[in-house]
Amino acid sequence: MSTHFLLGGARSGKSALAQRLAEDSGLPVTVIVTGEARDSEMAERIARHRQERPAHWLTVETPFALAAALRAHAAPDRFVLVDCLTLWLSNWLLACLDEPPRRTPTEFAAERAALLELVADPPGPLVLVANEVGLGLVPDTSLGRRFRDEAGRLNQDVAVRAAAVSLVVAGLPLQLK
């Protein structure tokens, strides 16, 4: 089985492409979503996305335990779509900074390693979606720069392990790998 990694900017069409790949697979679909409603605007986004997904898809919401969700749901006869790694990373960074912290950097390192292991050899077809955040301005806060750097490292580590990597711009995929 293989992993296809879709990168792109906000509203680039990467999630729509991921959904088309899932539909075209002919397999039952599990979508693993990572958004966490930390404010009302994000809660509204999550509700809208729930309504937009096909009703027959199994949806698993997990802001932190992505590797466990993949182990539980990925299989040769099931298409798994993860949307998105960028929100998952953001959840972890913010949870480590919460007062008191909800998560620790050690927990994050273990979860990241477990995820990368699954990306390299998934038990079934897997598409991962992430934002490419390194093409814009340098963030003006230390947290923003840390997030950009962590996202860049995560994207590189996923891309090297994925069988296919595409950059999506204006709804058009460019095959990188």
Side-chain angles (χ1 to χ4, degrees):
M1 294 299 144
S2 65
T3 299
H4 191 159
F5 186 35
L6 301 177
L7 287 164
R11 300 291 165 259
S12 64
K14 60 194 177 298
S15 293
L17 174 59
Q19 288 188 10
R20 282 195 307 275
L21 293 171
E23 290 167 352
D24 292 349
S25 75
L27 296 171
V29 175
T30 297
V31 59
I32 300 175
V33 294
T34 61
E36 184 177 42
R38 292 178 68 99
D39 59 37
S40 61
E41 187 269 340
M42 190 62 176
E44 289 173 18
R45 283 177 179 263
I46 290 170
R48 187 172 56 250
H49 286 289
R50 282 181 187 140
Q51 292 173 348
E52 292 171 353
R53 280 191 293 277
H56 62 280
W57 286 9
L58 174 64
T59 299
V60 177
E61 296 181 359
T62 182
F64 298 103
L66 185 51
L70 284 169
R71 281 192 294 276
H73 295 282
D77 60 347
R78 176 161 289 280
F79 190 99
V80 175
L81 187 167
V82 175
D83 200 355
C84 82
L85 291 182
T86 311
L87 285 174
W88 174 79
L89 173 64
S90 177
N91 295 340
W92 272 99
L93 290 177
L94 292 173
C96 288
L97 295 173
D98 281 343
E99 289 297 330
R102 293 184 296 150
R103 301 286 192 273
T104 67
T106 302
E107 290 172 313
F108 171 63
E111 180 66 21
R112 187 183 190 282
L115 171 65
L116 292 174
E117 185 178 315
L118 286 163
V119 168
D121 188 24
L126 173 63
V127 168
L128 300 163
V129 175
N131 287 19
E132 175 51 68
V133 299
L135 298 173
L137 299 173
V138 174
D140 64 350
T141 66
S142 62
L143 178 58
R145 290 185 296 275
R146 180 175 174 205
F147 172 75
R148 180 217 41 210
D149 294 349
E150 289 289 341
R153 284 190 283 272
L154 178 62
N155 287 348
Q156 289 180 56
D157 288 345
V158 170
V160 82
R161 288 165 175 81
V165 180
S166 298
L167 177 66
V168 182
V169 178
L172 302 172
L174 175 63
Q175 191 79 22
L176 302 177
K177 178 181 175 185

